Amino acid sequence: YWESSLFASLNNLKAFLRYIFLIFLINKQSLKMIKTFLKAIILSGLLQIIAGLFQIAIGQPALTFFSPYDLVDNQVFTSKFTALRTDSLNIFGTSSQNINYALFLLVTFLVNLNFSKLFNRYVFNFMNITIPICVYFSGSRTVFLSIIICYFIHHYLNGSLAKKLLFIAPILFVTSIIIYLLGVDLGSSSYSDFSFIFSGNLISALQIQRLGILEVFYENFFSINFFGYSSDKEFLAEYLARNFQIPIQLKLSTLILIEDVYFLAFFLYYGVINFIFLTLVLVYIYIKVKNGNTSKDFYKRLVFLVQNILLINIIINLFNQGFEVRLFSFYYWLIISITLFALETKNENSVS
């Protein structure tokens, strides 16, 4: 739309595209650093876990300590980064934002799950136990449920789901009870955030959140411009407010709610043609990786990692703007890029 700002449109488009171009930057030298790169993710994850556990144990003083001091009292900043509000107990590690923190731990969890022998079994088991706990206390329901789904996707792709279910089901049951009781005792915002999905008021509450904006989208489906409007977010919010029948309780948070359902946001920004194109690209990558001909165990694990991250990304972007979160998007596209290049060149002896 001509009324939208070209600069704002390009700037927001950059947020989506900035890491896709990593596909064109990977070379043979990069392949020699794959193990080092994966180990760096695990070590970074360990530091974030330690910071998160410290914040869980100490509470608000630890959250204040890890927050950026110059911005912690800035109302505009804290309104966006809710973890910095004094009434929020959601942990955020060193990332200053609980969703960014949870999404990075999700990437770490996937790497740790698929590469159990990068370090010793103590590190592997420690991270498998503590990452779900830290994500839970980050307050991100989407990422917490994604981690549970990740576990099942991983073992389904490896053909060991039935065996693992017999082992993991009692552990999950006991852990759920412990987390439930722990949440009640601490009165944590994380507990109320997660237990909300079992509430009888779930549907009515969601109608003034994501479900409400989806209902508006459904009711106006045939009046939507299928070529998209613009990635200028302010223009889009104003346009929808003028032309769509949006309930008063959704008007103030229309843009935020659209962004939370990122596939809907992408559809409105770039249109149905680009939405279909993105879908086909992701399906092509999945098929290409799945059919990758490799005999080396390390590369098989890399293929499983990419399959996991592609499948779980569907869930993430249904409820969060994962493509635009730097900590998630960077590792998402870098892992995909390295795997595609490795399978294309079949340079399996170059891993160090």
Side-chain angles (χ1 to χ4, degrees), residues 303-327:
V303 166
F304 284 136
L305 173 59
V306 173
Q307 287 181 272
N308 286 177
I309 206 169
L310 283 168
L311 291 172
I312 210 64
N313 188 51
I314 298 172
I315 298 169
I316 292 298
N317 282 288
L318 282 175
F319 303 105
N320 286 117
Q321 51 270 45
F323 278 125
E324 294 189 7
V325 175
R326 288 188 181 92
L327 275 176

Side-chain angles (χ1 to χ4, degrees), residues 70-82:
D70 292 338
L71 296 171
V72 71
D73 295 322
N74 185 301
Q75 292 183 354
V76 175
F77 187 81
T78 54
S79 67
K80 182 176 181 181
F81 295 93
T82 54

Side-chain angles (χ1 to χ4, degrees), residues 212-238:
I213 207 67
L214 284 172
E215 288 176 346
V216 171
F217 176 76
Y218 174 76
E219 291 168 1
N220 296 273
F221 184 78
F222 290 105
S223 62
I224 291 174
N225 182 352
F226 276 62
F227 293 100
Y229 293 100
S230 170
S231 54
D232 180 351
K233 298 178 182 181
E234 291 185 9
F235 163 78
L236 179 61
E238 292 175 4

Side-chain angles (χ1 to χ4, degrees), residues 264-282:
L264 170 59
F266 190 93
F267 187 91
L268 293 173
Y269 291 158
Y270 310 115
V272 65
I273 296 176
N274 287 308
F275 179 81
I276 292 173
F277 177 74
L278 173 65
T279 303
L280 291 175
V281 167
L282 295 177

Side-chain angles (χ1 to χ4, degrees), residues 103-120:
L103 284 172
F104 174 70
L105 287 184
L106 173 62
V107 174
T108 306
F109 183 79
L110 284 170
V111 172
N112 187 63
L113 200 61
N114 284 278
F115 293 91
S116 57
K117 297 179 181 179
L118 281 177
F119 292 98
N120 56 49

